[in-house]
């Protein structure tokens, strides 16, 4: 009875409340071992596989991000190079256009000067021709007037036209020579 008393006393208080019976510990250990085996055999490989897969995806994403960053930097360098080349081409085109414009202006100027010289030359020739025609007309008119005047002064008609023409020409030549000596050139 003593054993029953000790057992009853142990059950009633003390350590028996905290420590479970041995058969519960055994079956708990067996269940825990089965759970660990099942988890270790089936769940952990899947969990590790998922974690490895996720780590690979993260590494792949980081690699893609790094590559995208490098591609963006390369595109920026290429864009800058294209812009520099376009600016250089535009500058060269502007210089060529300026040179062509200056050439066109110079050619037009020289063409205009040549045309002006040609017009001036033609005008001078025309003026000279008109001057000579006027001199001839004036000479003949002066000759006729002089002959008429001489005929009125003398009172006779001069019938020899050749002689009259020579006399008038000699008179006009002498008049021009006298004017040249004085320093005045007649505009005949």
């Amino acid at each position: 009875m003593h054993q029953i008393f000790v057992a009853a006393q142990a059950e009633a208080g003390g350590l028996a409340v905290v420590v479970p019976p041995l058969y519960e510990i055994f079956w708990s250990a067996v269940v825990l071992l089965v759970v660990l085996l099942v988890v270790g055999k089936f769940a952990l490989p899947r969990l590790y596989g998922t974690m490895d897969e996720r780590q690979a995806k993260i590494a792949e994403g980081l690699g893609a991000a790094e590559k995208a960053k490098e591609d963006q930097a390369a595109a920026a360098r290429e864009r800058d190079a294209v812009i520099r080349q376009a600016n250089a081409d535009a500058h060269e085109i502007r210089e060529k256009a300026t040179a062509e414009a200056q050439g066109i202006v110079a050619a037009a100027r020289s063409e205009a000067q040549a045309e002006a010289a040609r017009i001036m030359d033609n005008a001078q020739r025309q003026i000279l021709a008109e001057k000579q025609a006027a001199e001839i007309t004036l000479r003949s008119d002066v000759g006729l007037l002089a002959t008429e005047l001489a005929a009125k002064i003398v009172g006779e008609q001069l019938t020899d036209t050749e002689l009259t023409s020579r006399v008038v020409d000699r008179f006009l030549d002498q008049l021009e020579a006298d004017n040249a000596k004085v320093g005045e050139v007649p505009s005949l």
Side-chain angles (χ1 to χ4, degrees):
M1 217 178 221
H2 184 36
Q3 286 179 351
I4 296 175
F5 183 74
V6 172
Q9 213 177 19
E11 279 183 17
L15 199 55
V17 175
V18 179
V19 177
L22 189 58
Y23 68 89
E24 281 185 23
I25 293 174
F26 173 74
W27 286 114
S28 294
V30 170
V31 170
L32 182 63
L33 186 62
V34 170
V35 169
L36 283 177
L37 284 175
V38 170
V39 168
K41 181 79 173 168
F42 298 109
L44 281 179
R46 284 186 182 172
L47 185 65
Y48 288 146
T50 305
M51 287 175 55
D52 289 342
E53 196 176 298
R54 196 163 218 194
Q55 188 177 9
K57 283 184 180 180
I58 290 172
E60 184 180 319
L62 289 174
E66 187 66 31
K67 184 169 178 6
K69 193 175 184 181
E70 289 173 2
D71 289 346
Q72 183 181 13
R77 285 191 301 272
E78 186 177 331
R79 183 194 70 224
D80 291 342
V82 167
I83 288 173
R84 279 193 303 273
Q85 182 63 37
N87 285 337
D89 290 347
H91 181 70
E92 185 178 321
I93 289 170
R94 279 191 302 269
E95 285 181 357
K96 283 181 182 178
T98 301
E100 285 180 14
Q102 289 173 349
I104 290 170
V105 167
R109 183 175 288 134
S110 94
E111 187 177 314
Q113 288 173 346
E115 183 68 19
R118 186 185 62 77
I119 290 171
M120 286 292 288
D121 189 41
N122 286 342
Q124 286 176 350
R125 278 193 221 138
Q126 187 174 3
I127 289 171
L128 183 61
E130 288 177 5
K131 180 181 174 186
Q132 288 173 348
E135 284 178 1
I136 291 171
T137 305
L138 187 61
R139 210 175 251 273
S140 67
D141 288 346
V142 168
L144 287 173
L145 285 174
T147 345
E148 286 177 12
L149 185 62
K152 285 184 182 180
I153 291 176
V154 174
E156 290 185 23
Q157 186 72 21
L158 299 174
T159 55
D160 188 6
T161 58
E162 219 175 279
L163 176 66
T164 307
S165 177
R166 278 196 315 257
V167 169
V168 170
D169 285 341
R170 193 176 39 203
F171 171 74
L172 289 175
D173 289 340
Q174 187 178 9
L175 185 62
E176 284 179 3
D178 288 345
N179 282 339
K181 285 180 186 175
V182 174
E184 293 180 332
V185 177
S187 59
L188 297 178

